[in-house]
Amino acid sequence: MPPCKRRLEAAETIGGGTRTSELTVPGLLHDDCSATHPMAAGSPFLNSLDLAKHGLEWLFAEVDLAHPLDDGSAGVMVRSIDETARGLGEDGPAWRRVFGSSSAHFDDLLEDIFAPIVHLPRHPLRLARFGIPAAAPASILARSWSTPQARALFGGVAAHAFSPLNRPMSSSVGCALIDACHAFGWPVAKGGSRAITDALASILREHGGKIETSHPVRSYDELGGADVVVFDLAPGAVAEIAGDRLPSRVARSYRRYRHGPGAFKLDLAIEGGVPWTNESCRRAGTVHVVGTFEEIAIAERAINRGSMPERPYILVGQQYLADPSRSKGDLHPLWVYAHVPSGYTGDATESVLGQIERFAPGFRGRIVETSVRNPADLEAYNANYVGGDIITGANTPVQILIRPRLALDPYSTGVNGLYICSAATPPGAGAHGMNGYNAARSALRGLGS
């Protein structure tokens, strides 16, 4: 496989969604976007590389995920499906029934899940077993459980899709992430998510590649007649850069590509950790903060209709529990974001803090410093995050299956030598590298390799 000669990065630093910065207090390491990496840990492509040799080390919190409720209880997920099921009490058998088989064979499933949609399945029966619950609306699959803890635990993971929970396919992202947890855990990268990027960049340079930062590309003419160009960009940006080189049908599809709701991000420096009422939350790398399944459904429906919910869905990352190197003494970095409507221009800070305070009384008094990024700030940070859409595309039933356009080869732009590999392509968002891997294979086929 010939080495990539040039990698052009518009920003001053490489990484996109896998950067890490000191956003509050010097010495505290905050992940700028992507923070917890179950799909990266299971990625066939990343696992084919010796990333440990290049400095990447996965670290794990004692509890992968906790979802607190107002009565002080919580739904709790750990890597062991048996331990998770025991913690869910009467709903444990149903949890094991839905996720047991698929998580036990998730390595095999990923060969199909991470592949382009149009392919000959390598494990058709296992893919079908996964696909039946994954295709259901989350509101339907949630009926598998009767306790509020299990229902909320599932719903909080399903909500990672930024999709209304009554929509077909809205279970798919949740099923994949839960299976990934039971197969690999939900790890963080030691030293921050930038360690993933740094390891990959090291391998690229080792193979003769060159990375140029602060090099935005606004026209195809700037690319100097390269044999192969692969865009890690949202479809609309590809259409703008490629201009009339694109077939008109492709350009129309790229310009019509739908983006989803946005994110509102807070990075906090907190003293002494978050005083969660529930003890498992104090040991969890990720905490979903919103309340019951019904509250999640209300919040996700609102943002998809363009309105800001009174009680938004919030993700809290406590990466420092697995990786103490991110902290400074008793001062810790807290990673927080809320789901908000696309292009939301308001200030959700008080809503976010109020949700956390709801499950962790006294939390506000521990905040030392705050950094805020609204959807416009996130788009300025990464142009792929149109309207604050940090997953680069609405997870509608159509776009989950067909993205960025209807084509046998979704990575091809219809122009020889020109490809797209962003999260707008299969298998979607995540620091797993499979979009680029699949696009590279497509490019090699185009070269006759």
Side-chain angles (χ1 to χ4, degrees):
M1 181 176 182
C4 174
K5 294 299 182 182
R6 297 176 71 202
R7 200 306 188 175
L8 305 181
E9 169 60 57
E12 294 180 2
T13 57
I14 62 174
T18 52
R19 298 187 189 120
T20 302
S21 307
E22 297 181 6
L23 298 175
T24 56
V25 174
L28 264 60
L29 300 180
H30 297 266
D31 289 327
D32 286 272
C33 186
S34 183
T36 306
H37 304 288
M39 292 303 190
S43 167
F45 169 61
L46 296 187
N47 286 329
S48 73
L49 308 172
D50 190 359
L51 294 177
K53 174 186 171 184
H54 295 266
L56 179 62
E57 181 180 353
W58 296 122
L59 300 175
F60 299 83
E62 185 180 355
V63 171
D64 292 280
L65 168 66
H67 189 122
L69 297 175
D70 287 310
D71 64 1
S73 67
V76 177
M77 185 168 68
V78 297
R79 183 169 181 176
S80 167
I81 193 169
D82 291 331
E83 185 178 342
T84 301
R86 284 194 297 272
L88 293 175
E90 65 185 82
D91 274 333
W95 189 271
R96 192 182 289 107
R97 184 170 60 251
V98 174
F99 302 115
S101 176
S102 51
S103 63
H105 301 286
F106 204 56
D107 275 319
D108 291 338
L109 272 171
L110 284 180
E111 295 181 23
D112 288 316
I113 293 173
F114 276 163
I117 294 298
V118 180
H119 75 283
L120 184 64
R122 295 189 180 185
H123 308 280
L125 295 179
R126 288 175 183 165
L127 184 61
R129 174 68 182 81
F130 169 82
I132 291 171
S139 57
I140 299 298
L141 188 56
R143 296 176 187 174
S144 302
W145 304 284
S146 60
T147 65
Q149 292 79 14
R151 287 168 54 81
L153 183 63
F154 165 70
V157 186
H160 279 244
F162 284 80
S163 173
L165 299 189
N166 62 350
R167 179 181 283 174
M169 301 293 295
S170 57
S171 292
S172 59
V173 171
C175 287
L177 289 174
I178 290 170
D179 283 337
C181 178
H182 293 317
F184 316 117
W186 279 17
V188 302
K190 184 177 182 180
S193 293
R194 68 184 180 195
I196 303 172
T197 303
D198 290 345
L200 291 170
S202 176
I203 292 174
L204 177 64
R205 295 186 182 103
E206 187 176 75
H207 286 79
K210 180 181 179 182
I211 300 173
E212 299 176 27
T213 57
S214 302
H215 193 139
V217 175
R218 297 181 177 87
S219 167
Y220 189 83
D221 295 333
E222 299 173 36
L223 299 175
D227 292 333
V228 172
V229 175
V230 184
F231 286 113
D232 184 9
L233 297 173
V238 176
E240 290 302 312
I241 292 172
D244 58 10
R245 289 177 176 79
L246 289 181
S248 58
R249 68 184 186 283
V250 176
R252 282 196 302 270
S253 294
Y254 283 0
R255 292 192 172 100
R256 291 173 179 171
Y257 181 79
R258 289 185 60 185
H259 284 272
F264 186 97
K265 189 165 187 287
L266 292 180
D267 286 282
L268 308 172
I270 57 167
E271 192 167 15
V274 181
W276 302 105
T277 299
N278 181 272
E279 188 271 337
S280 292
C281 294
R282 300 180 187 182
R283 299 182 286 119
T286 301
V287 183
H288 291 158
V289 183
V290 60
T292 64
F293 181 91
E294 290 72 22
E295 289 179 276
I296 303 167
I298 290 169
E300 296 305 285
R301 182 169 61 247
I303 63 167
N304 277 274
R305 291 178 174 176
S307 62
M308 183 66 195
E310 181 180 350
R311 287 182 162 180
Y313 169 82
I314 295 166
L315 291 91
V316 175
Q318 302 180 131
Q319 297 95 314
Y320 64 89
L321 293 175
D323 182 10
S325 71
R326 302 182 185 214
S327 299
K328 187 176 180 181
D330 200 33
L331 200 60
H332 307 293
L334 197 69
W335 176 99
V336 181
Y337 78 78
H339 289 186
V340 299
S342 175
Y344 176 71
T345 58
D347 186 353
T349 302
E350 286 305 310
S351 294
V352 173
L353 297 181
Q355 281 283 67
I356 301 175
E357 184 83 20
R358 173 183 168 191
F359 301 101
F363 165 71
R364 291 174 187 268
R366 300 195 180 194
I367 299 172
V368 175
E369 190 64 60
T370 302
S371 172
V372 178
R373 283 177 173 168
N374 64 23
D377 297 326
L378 289 169
E379 184 172 348
Y381 159 81
N382 186 335
N384 284 356
Y385 299 163
V386 176
D389 170 15
I390 59 174
I391 60 174
T392 315
N395 276 320
T396 65
V398 171
Q399 281 195 176
I400 286 177
L401 296 174
I402 302 170
R403 57 168 55 202
R405 65 187 181 97
L406 180 62
L408 291 176
D409 183 353
Y411 311 98
S412 170
T413 65
V415 179
N416 289 336
L418 187 60
Y419 301 86
I420 178 172
C421 72
S422 67
T425 65
H432 41 64
M434 293 303 298
N435 316 72
Y437 173 78
N438 291 336
R441 288 175 61 87
S442 177
L444 288 172
R445 288 193 299 270
L447 292 171
S449 300

